[in-house]
Amino acid sequence: MQTILFAACLALAQVPAAPAKEATVPVAAPLSFYSESFPFQWDRTIPLTANVDGLKVSKIFFNKRMIQGGVLGMLKTTEFGTRAQVEVTNTSTLPRVPGFAVAVLDRDGRLLGVASGGTKLGTLSPGETETFDLNFTQVKERLASGATFILAVELRN
């Protein structure tokens, strides 16, 4: 019995192995895409001139959302998160569905924070201008000391 098992194992070992399959990389759907790096400024409007298939990105603004409120005559400032505001205009004749990602880096290229966002429901109609709030969460405390930021815009159908 052992001789038969040994012979079967020896026969299998001599059969040439099938060539290994190459890993297939998923191909992204053909969408409009834009990505560029810019100098960073905290709490100041940064003008932009990006155009992604008729979606004009005109400016971005980084800050903390602060609201002054009053409770029994006492002023209290409440923070409502850290954000990047991106203003865009659809200059095309077709509706657009944009998505945005922003990464802020320090002078040494270290990542200080990332935010993303875009249309939730519906589209950005032709001729319409809209401001999108991209929220930074968890990793955000060093954003004000950023040196550069990367903006990515992706249109989806």
Side-chain angles (χ1 to χ4, degrees):
M1 182 71 166
Q2 288 178 342
T3 307
I4 295 172
L5 284 174
F6 179 72
C9 288
L10 185 60
L12 285 174
Q14 292 176 353
V15 173
K21 284 187 174 182
E22 290 186 31
T24 58
V25 177
V27 177
L31 299 173
S32 300
F33 179 77
Y34 168 87
S35 180
E36 192 169 334
S37 179
F38 300 94
F40 177 83
Q41 291 184 322
W42 178 253
D43 210 18
R44 294 201 175 155
T45 300
I46 303 167
L48 300 172
T49 58
N51 193 320
V52 185
D53 282 342
L55 185 75
K56 180 183 169 193
V57 183
S58 56
K59 61 185 172 181
I60 191 166
F61 183 80
F62 297 90
N63 74 345
K64 288 189 180 196
R65 267 183 237 119
M66 306 296 277
I67 304 262
Q68 293 272 336
V71 178
L72 300 173
M74 300 170 65
L75 287 178
K76 183 174 180 167
T77 302
T78 305
E79 182 183 322
F80 284 95
T82 304
R83 68 178 172 192
Q85 283 188 315
V86 180
E87 184 180 281
V88 298
T89 301
N90 183 355
T91 62
S92 79
T93 59
L94 300 171
R96 297 292 186 224
V97 183
F100 307 94
V102 177
V104 178
L105 308 163
D106 69 8
R107 293 191 194 294
D108 297 323
R110 293 178 297 199
L111 183 62
L112 301 178
V114 176
S116 64
T119 54
K120 304 269 190 274
L121 296 171
T123 62
L124 188 61
S125 299
E128 187 176 7
T129 297
E130 189 168 338
T131 301
F132 292 90
D133 275 356
L134 314 179
N135 295 308
F136 291 89
T137 59
Q138 305 301 318
V139 179
K140 60 185 178 180
E141 296 306 316
R142 292 169 179 79
L143 279 177
S145 64
T148 60
F149 70 94
I150 299 169
L151 171 65
V153 181
E154 184 175 87
L155 298 180
R156 58 190 186 279
N157 299 329

